[in-house]
């Protein structure tokens, strides 16, 4: 036997009315929490752009990409600089280690205790990627026959 759709339709209509009423109440509550309404219910600020800066997904991706590129450029510039030697004495053993600020290795070829292997591998991969990206062969950029 078929079901009666009449009661379902009525229920849907009533739910739409309820939803509209609750949406209005929720909007007022949200504005109060953001500070757009005072205690009396008067609007303090008309534009939401004064409170929030709205960005599209493309803009967010562009910003993330530019930030990553800046980090890679910084890493590349850092790799071109010579490292300074820093002397550090171990408190427990009293042995003096001379660390290179560029490679972070001491005179024995060891990394410091706080150094994490996964982080180094990630940084090395990024550095290699930036070097490949900035690399241009001379025969391709100069003396190209037409």
């Amino acid at each position: 036997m078929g079901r009666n759709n009449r009661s379902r339709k009525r229920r849907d209509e009533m739910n739409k009315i309820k939803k509209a009423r609750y949406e209005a109440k929720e909007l007022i509550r949200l504005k109060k929490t953001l500070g757009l309404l005072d205690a009396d219910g008067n609007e303090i600020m008309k534009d939401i752009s004064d409170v929030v800066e709205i960005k599209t997904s493309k803009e967010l991706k562009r910003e993330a990409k530019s930030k990553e590129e800046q980090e890679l450029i910084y890493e590349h510039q850092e790799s071109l600089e010579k490292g300074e030697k820093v002397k550090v004495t171990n408190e427990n053993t009293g042995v003096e280690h001379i660390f290179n600020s560029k490679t972070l290795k001491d005179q024995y070829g060891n990394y410091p205790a706080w150094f994490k292997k996964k982080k180094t591998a990630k940084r090395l991969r990024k550095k290699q990627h930036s070097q490949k990206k900035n690399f241009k062969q001379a025969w391709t950029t100069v003396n190209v026959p037409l």
Side-chain angles (χ1 to χ4, degrees):
M1 302 278 299
R3 289 183 123 180
N4 190 1
N5 284 337
R6 188 170 175 200
S7 61
R8 181 174 288 169
K9 286 178 185 176
R10 282 187 186 163
R11 200 170 38 215
D12 288 345
E13 287 174 18
M14 296 306 288
N15 285 340
K16 283 180 188 176
I17 295 167
K18 275 190 202 174
K19 188 178 178 185
R21 191 175 68 217
Y22 289 141
E23 281 177 352
K25 286 183 181 180
E26 190 176 357
L27 183 64
I28 291 169
R29 195 179 307 131
L30 285 172
K31 283 185 178 180
K32 280 184 181 177
T33 55
L34 285 174
L36 300 176
L37 293 178
D38 59 357
D40 299 331
N42 301 327
E43 288 197 25
I44 298 170
M45 286 185 256
K46 299 281 184 180
D47 288 333
I48 194 78
S49 60
D50 296 339
V51 179
V52 181
E53 186 177 325
I54 301 168
K55 295 181 182 178
T56 62
S57 60
K58 286 184 181 180
E59 290 174 349
L60 292 172
K61 286 178 185 176
R62 223 180 277 137
E63 282 181 8
K65 197 172 187 180
S66 65
K67 191 181 278 186
E68 193 172 305
E69 285 176 356
Q70 288 173 354
E71 285 179 12
L72 289 174
I73 290 167
Y74 178 75
E75 290 273 338
H76 183 68
Q77 288 173 349
E78 213 174 57
S79 66
L80 296 176
E81 296 174 1
K82 298 273 184 178
E84 299 175 9
K85 294 186 177 182
V86 180
K87 292 183 181 181
V88 178
T89 55
N90 192 343
E91 295 174 2
N92 298 336
T93 60
V95 178
E96 189 172 289
H97 295 275
I98 302 171
F99 286 100
N100 187 347
S101 64
K102 181 182 170 191
T103 60
L104 297 175
K105 289 184 180 180
D106 63 355
Q107 74 268 27
Y108 307 115
N110 299 327
Y111 287 105
W114 52 264
F115 208 72
K116 294 178 175 64
K117 292 178 184 176
K118 283 186 177 180
K119 201 168 187 180
T120 4
K122 186 178 181 182
R123 190 170 46 175
L124 286 173
R125 282 195 303 270
K126 280 188 174 182
K127 190 187 289 185
Q128 288 170 355
H129 177 71
S130 69
Q131 287 172 349
K132 283 181 186 177
K133 193 174 181 182
N134 294 331
F135 177 73
K136 292 179 181 136
Q137 285 189 328
W139 63 270
T140 59
T141 55
V142 188
N143 300 334
V144 178
L146 298 173

